[in-house]
Amino acid sequence: MSTYEHGYLIVGCLMLVALVVASTPLLLAACLRPRKPSAIKQATYECGIESKGDSWIQFKAQYYLYALAFVIFDLETIFLIPCAVALNQVGFFAFLEMTVFVGVLLLGLVWEWSKGVLEWR
Amino acid sequence: MNLSDLLPLLRFLAPEILLSALALGALLGEAALSRLLGVEKRQNLLGWLALLGLGACLVILGDQAARGETLALGRGAFVASPFNALLKTAATLAVMASVTMGLRAPFVRHVGENYALVLFSLLGMFFLLSAESLLMIFVALELTSLPLYALAASQKGARRSIEGGLKYLLFGGLSAAFLLFGISYVYGMSGQGSLAGLRDWLVAQRTAGGPGFLFLTGVCLMIVGLGFKIAAAPFHLWAPDAYEGAPLPAAAILASASKLAGIVVAARLLLGAFLPVAGNVLGSPLSWHAGWSPAVAALAVASLTVGNLAALAQRNAKRFMAYSSVAHAGNVLVAFLALDASGRPAALAAPAIAYYAVIYALTNAGVFAAIHALAWGARGDDFADFRGAARRAPFPAFFLLIFLLSLAGVPPMAGFFGKLFLFMAALQADATHWGLAWLVAYALAMNVVALGYYLRFARVLWVEPAEDLRPISTPLELRVALVALALLVLGLGVFPSSCLAAFRTMGGVLLLRG
Amino acid sequence: MEPPGLNHWLVVSAMLFCIGAAGVVLRRNLLVVLMSLEIMLNAANLALVAFSRYGNGLDGQIFVFFVITVAAAEVAVGLAILVALYRLCGTVRVSDIATLKL
């Protein structure tokens, strides 16, 4: 065994010991404690205040739309960057193609704008 | 590439370019008009413009088919051929029927977006029908499916629409993931991105020790993905919910054009690229050869069983059509297995699959258009709501009967010849030993069941008494669409052999060029 | 010790794919199900890039570009439908959307 793998062996041993040390008290407690489940024990702990409502609260949908639009436009750069890097090799035709591509994206942006997606209310 | 090369390119890509322009135009039209016109006016105006554009597409496609020229771009990324133009024509016709259905039924608030989604989906189908490379197939398949997910869920106020759309999305996403993972193995082991390259590589591997385990795993994963797309059992679970939840015009596309594209791409992949690893399922299971055939045979048997038996138990017209579509996927898969003992497909197989897919798409578009016309005066789309509808609206009910008979495979209709050719191809494959007789016999038995449930639907329309006798009026454009589709279905049935011959001579037919 | 080779990447990618598939089938929250779908797509991406890196040329990496975009579009549609579902029913749990049966 090389010293390289030997180093990992030590880390592995340490992890094992850590696992045992951390889990033994928990297991012991689970075996020894009396079981008295009640609704109040199941409640979410919120620094002593009684929890209200559902954890699935509703955000404004406008925010979602904004985020979705961002994701889509953000991703288009993965097509733009390779083209920009290799522009000298791929030539004028590829430039035209990318112009059309960006043009289509621009139309999409115009549509979003007119639909009011870009207004952050 | 020079600008002088651009002109022929533009000519071959004209339908796709026109369609993208139309879809973007629909979006911008909605944006510009949404404050000027009411929903119904926009629905009408944009719908007619879309129909006009699709009509122009038909003209261009007809011209392409008539010229008989073929162009292949970028290692099979896009192949424009007369045959592909014909398939695209069928898909366009089905989508036109769907747009016509939506003209006067404002089922969504965002009408421009609705049309844009329909057109983008058709654009995806165009690319799918022209794709002979793995990358293009994946991207086109997603371009076809993504708008359909949104369309299926487009009735935002109706819970079943959203749930249907969501299920369609989840199953569709799962199928895309399986397909892509399969593609990654297939590409990785062979290093080939084009279907023709894959086939040549596989042929070369016959003498070099076989394609290897990972490649075959990839092929199987791709079959799972394709099975989802064409709704073959046991991957059909999305279909009933998506069909039932989707508004009728969207369900019409799901059942017709999208299915056509799925069947064609499955045939290109399995009978084209992966033919050398087909194996066979001739005779008894002991004499089978490993390959994709046994898997596809299992799908075919499962689809025939589940589709036909479950359709018997349905009470809702749309769910009924979904199970009918599962059954038809089973029918068409039978012809995929029409390979002789040395692995060559029967001469009839590919043309029969294409003929069946086209007929099926047109017939199903007709069924949904007719159901749409009848549902105008009905409370819902359960069978009970259509009771005695023939008395209230004889015109669409008559055409629905024609389309149902075609689906059932009653002789003068095209559907009969579609099934006939499929099963003939299967018997032709190993004619001396009746190798596929077991499967054909089973398919025939299941089609007898199918005849029963199609006639039951017809009985609900024509024989059962109506509770409500107020006549249902059918708008003119819907009548025209019904007549046109019925003429096509009957016409393709009157000249089945010449259609098949045309499909065959158009070169390459379904299989790859070169 | 030798550096990781093609097989290592393929094992990781297969594991990712299985984790994703298990997530789609087992998880109860639809958002997590969507994420699991993405994991499956990314497993395929990893395999494609690995194949591409170990001798198959650049095609695989180009493929991945398109897959990333397609995956984003799929998530956009999925989230849109999910928002619509939440507005209508106030739930994003799988068990609550089982009104449509076989």
Side-chain angles (χ1 to χ4, degrees), chain B residues 2-18:
Chain B
N2 293 319
L3 288 182
S4 56
D5 300 335
L6 201 58
L7 284 177
L9 203 66
L10 286 182
R11 207 181 69 215
F12 279 106
L13 279 165
E16 282 78 11
I17 295 173
L18 177 61

Side-chain angles (χ1 to χ4, degrees), chain A residues 69-87:
Chain A
F70 169 76
V71 167
I72 298 295
F73 281 101
D74 187 42
L75 265 174
E76 307 308 334
T77 50
I78 67 169
F79 291 112
L80 293 177
I81 285 178
C83 187
V85 169
L87 194 60

Side-chain angles (χ1 to χ4, degrees), chain B residues 390-411:
Chain B
R391 245 156 269 157
R392 306 179 61 192
F395 188 84
F398 171 70
F399 283 98
L400 184 52
L401 182 65
I402 289 185
F403 295 127
L404 285 176
L405 289 180
S406 175
L407 282 182
V410 173

Side-chain angles (χ1 to χ4, degrees), chain B residues 142 159 163 187-188 241 319, chain C residues 56 60 74 96 99-101:
Chain B
E142 288 300 285
R159 186 170 173 155
E163 286 183 10
Y187 158 77
D241 294 338
R319 288 184 87 77
Chain C
N56 270 347
E74 197 170 281
D96 293 336
T99 51
L100 294 168
K101 292 277 158 47

Side-chain angles (χ1 to χ4, degrees), chain B residues 183-272:
Chain B
I183 285 177
S184 77
Y185 278 174
V186 165
Y187 158 77
M189 298 316 289
S190 67
Q192 303 292 329
S194 77
L195 299 196
L198 271 173
R199 185 189 50 193
D200 296 342
W201 182 81
L202 280 172
V203 170
Q205 289 302 306
R206 275 198 180 141
T207 50
F213 172 70
L214 270 190
F215 187 92
L216 295 178
T217 312
V219 173
C220 286
L221 287 170
M222 285 179 78
I223 290 177
V224 173
L226 292 171
F228 273 116
K229 285 291 172 212
I230 63 171
F235 310 119
H236 66 286
L237 290 170
W238 58 273
D241 294 338
Y243 278 47
E244 190 188 354
L248 271 164
I253 299 180
L254 279 186
S256 57
S258 148
K259 190 103 169 177
L260 164 72
I263 290 173
V264 167
V265 82
R268 285 226 165 98
L269 279 169
L270 294 179
L271 287 178

